[in-house]
Amino acid sequence: MDAQGHERFREFVENRSSALLKTAVLLSGGDRHAAEDLLQSALIKAAGRWQRIDEPEAYVRQILYRQQVSRWRLKWRRRELTVAEPPEGTGGTATADASSAADLRIVMRGALARLTARQRTVLVLRYFEDLPEADVARILGCSVGTVRSTTHRSLARLRALAPELATLGPADAEQQPSRDYSPVEVRP
């Protein structure tokens, strides 16, 4: 890679790595360490082809999705379940609002972590990345019908795992500070 390409790659990583890490965290079920590994290996692969990449972010996201699919296809995949503990409440109205938003993110992260990797990947692609079913099918190498049925089963399981998500109304969703761990619209 020449000096100009090296500088472009450095700027890309500096500017886009936090957004890419959020996607990687969702894909890995909330396991930040696994997400960092996923993103790092995607960036390494992208660096090798940097001079030939027209749309760097789309390329790196595609690598993230495909690597995650490869991970859940492996027979020896981990059976651990990573769940965050909710923070201690300190009281107060502003603190209560921030605390309830944090609690919601923790609930969502925990529920996503208990989905299968395939279910989690489909939900992240459909609702967090806002991709149409045809694009998700192309990325995952399956049919549109498979994406639809997996989405339906994944949302049903998410609702069963975290029924408290159904109480989140449209007004509450607008007040959330970020969509870091709440990409799925859950309807009652």
Side-chain angles (χ1 to χ4, degrees), residues 166-186:
T167 62
L168 176 66
D172 294 333
E174 293 170 5
Q175 294 174 2
Q176 297 301 320
S178 70
R179 291 179 56 195
D180 291 352
Y181 300 105
S182 54
V184 181
E185 177 182 335
V186 180

Side-chain angles (χ1 to χ4, degrees), residues 6-77:
H6 182 71
E7 182 62 25
R8 279 185 46 236
F9 182 73
R10 189 191 63 72
E11 287 175 8
F12 172 78
V13 171
E14 190 176 293
N15 294 330
R16 300 304 305 153
S17 63
S18 64
L20 292 168
L21 182 59
K22 289 177 186 177
T23 300
V25 167
L26 290 170
L27 288 171
S28 64
D31 184 347
R32 186 166 176 94
H33 298 293
E36 289 170 349
D37 290 345
L38 184 66
L39 179 59
Q40 182 177 13
S41 60
L43 289 172
I44 289 170
K45 287 183 179 184
R49 301 183 53 93
W50 189 254
Q51 302 290 43
R52 296 175 290 226
I53 299 174
D54 294 329
E55 296 181 36
E57 184 157 355
Y59 189 83
V60 172
R61 285 182 184 275
Q62 183 83 355
I63 293 171
L64 284 173
Y65 307 143
R66 289 188 177 176
Q67 282 185 191
Q68 184 61 24
V69 167
S70 294
R71 285 183 179 184
W72 55 256
R73 284 185 178 159
L74 293 175
K75 292 182 180 185
W76 56 267
R77 71 175 193 233

Side-chain angles (χ1 to χ4, degrees), residues 82-185:
T82 307
V83 180
E85 293 291 325
E88 294 291 326
T90 57
T93 308
T95 307
D97 291 344
S99 176
S100 66
D103 289 344
L104 178 64
R105 284 193 303 273
I106 289 169
V107 168
M108 179 59 80
R109 179 188 285 180
L112 283 173
R114 294 189 334 219
L115 294 176
T116 67
R118 182 181 188 102
Q119 290 173 327
R120 189 171 47 251
T121 302
V122 168
L123 290 181
V124 168
L125 291 174
R126 284 286 291 131
Y127 296 102
F128 183 76
E129 295 294 328
D130 200 27
L131 294 177
E133 292 169 338
D135 288 352
V136 175
R138 183 182 45 77
I139 288 169
L140 298 179
C142 62
S143 70
V144 173
T146 300
V147 170
R148 287 180 184 155
S149 63
T150 303
T151 301
H152 177 75
R153 284 191 305 270
S154 302
L155 288 174
R157 184 152 184 238
L158 191 64
R159 288 182 192 111
L161 291 171
E164 58 272 26
L165 293 175
T167 62
L168 176 66
D172 294 333
E174 293 170 5
Q175 294 174 2
Q176 297 301 320
S178 70
R179 291 179 56 195
D180 291 352
Y181 300 105
S182 54
V184 181
E185 177 182 335

